[in-house]
Amino acid sequence: MKIRVKLFAAAQETIGRDEITVELEEPANIAQLRLRLSQEYPKLAPLVSKSMFAIDNQYAQEDSPLSENAEVACIPPVSGG
Amino acid sequence: MIELTQSTIDTSKILKEVASSDAGATVLFLGTTRRTTDHLVTELLTYTAYEPMAREQMARLEDQARRRWPLQNCVLVHRLGEVAIGEASVAVAVSSGHRRAAFEAASWLIDILKETVPVWKREHWNTGQAAWVHPGVERSSGDVTP
């Protein structure tokens, strides 16, 4: 399945796009997405290893399942305030 | 009340919003942009957010605070876009019957907001360079742009 991943801040700047698509075999979870992103985009790897992920606007766990129509986002360490 | 805004944070509007005739205490916290971080001199900050999630997350934090403390009102505001040095980038305001709950709730809210709300700042230094701030991630030279 195709998972579209939203990118922000340094992740967006590193790749030069605000969204990327990765192909994952079903069933897939956040841990598998994290691994695939690091492999396909080595420049993102240091940031991806420290990032959280969100599914449909909620923080997800490593074992949270992914589905093709979910809104997935890579959330690098936040720095609001 | 939850707000993400491109405009100056209006504290009198926030205080009006949290006012309650049942409140004996109102606490307003403002986070303001600082010129120096370690040896770097910042001239301007820009903030960006994953806006729909930031709003939802701020609303969840307000709900959690209301369950934990007897609050009359609660306002969370974060500024986005360019923010000059010395201006407020975030505001937390709560009102409660008594001061202890108001102090505790405001303190908890700003801490958890800074840890969990998907907002990022970019520091623009006096060297003409700029970089995103990601606590705990080592900056590589490629992250610093002219």
Side-chain angles (χ1 to χ4, degrees):
Chain A
M1 62 179 163
K2 281 188 167 60
I3 300 289
R4 288 182 303 152
V5 183
K6 289 181 178 292
L7 301 177
F8 298 95
Q12 189 177 105
E13 191 172 274
T14 301
I15 298 301
R17 274 185 288 161
D18 59 8
E19 194 173 276
I20 50 182
T21 303
V22 292
E23 184 79 39
L24 289 170
E25 263 180 51
E26 286 184 75
N29 61 24
I30 294 293
Q32 286 153 331
L33 172 65
R34 188 190 291 280
L35 184 65
R36 180 59 60 85
L37 281 175
S38 301
Q39 290 167 341
E40 283 189 26
Y41 300 91
K43 280 199 290 189
L44 265 190
L47 202 52
V48 160
S49 71
K50 299 277 172 64
S51 295
M52 300 281 287
F53 284 84
I55 301 175
D56 294 333
N57 295 340
Q58 292 230 38
Y59 283 110
Q61 307 300 315
E62 289 303 288
D63 60 357
S64 299
L66 290 163
S67 64
E68 208 162 57
N69 43 16
E71 182 166 309
V72 180
C74 172
I75 312 286
V78 299
S79 54
Chain B
M1 190 195 82
I2 302 300
E3 195 186 8
L4 296 173
T5 178
Q6 300 276 341
S7 324
T8 306
I9 291 180
D10 182 346
T11 51
S12 54
K13 186 182 129 198
I14 291 172
L15 289 172
K16 214 173 276 175
E17 193 76 36
V18 285
S20 160
S21 50
D22 292 319
T26 297
V27 169
L28 168 65
F29 170 85
L30 296 177
T32 52
T33 49
R34 192 175 51 228
R35 189 177 301 279
T36 51
T37 303
D38 303 326
H39 62 287
L40 296 168
V41 178
T42 303
E43 291 189 328
L44 176 78
L45 290 131
T46 48
Y47 288 86
T48 189
Y50 179 16
E51 292 195 34
M53 180 173 168
R55 279 199 197 87
E56 279 195 31
Q57 182 63 13
M58 287 160 83
R60 280 192 284 267
L61 298 181
E62 177 179 346
D63 284 349
Q64 287 173 29
R66 284 179 181 279
R67 280 201 295 272
R68 198 158 152 190
W69 290 279
L71 303 181
Q72 298 299 325
N73 286 309
C74 174
V75 175
L76 303 175
V77 182
H78 205 297
R79 191 145 162 211
L80 300 178
E82 291 190 355
V83 181
I85 296 302
E87 291 189 11
S89 50
V90 63
V92 171
V94 293
S95 57
S96 185
H98 300 279
R99 68 182 179 280
R100 184 164 302 278
F103 274 124
E104 285 180 6
S107 176
W108 179 82
L109 278 162
I110 184 61
D111 286 352
I112 196 87
L113 181 151
K114 285 177 69 99
E115 280 168 26
T116 67
V117 174
V119 174
W120 300 271
K121 67 162 115 339
R122 184 172 169 81
E123 292 176 347
H124 302 259
W125 304 311
N126 65 346
T127 58
Q129 294 171 308
W132 291 103
V133 179
H134 293 300
V137 180
E138 210 169 315
R139 230 169 232 158
S140 68
S141 55
D143 296 336
V144 178
T145 54

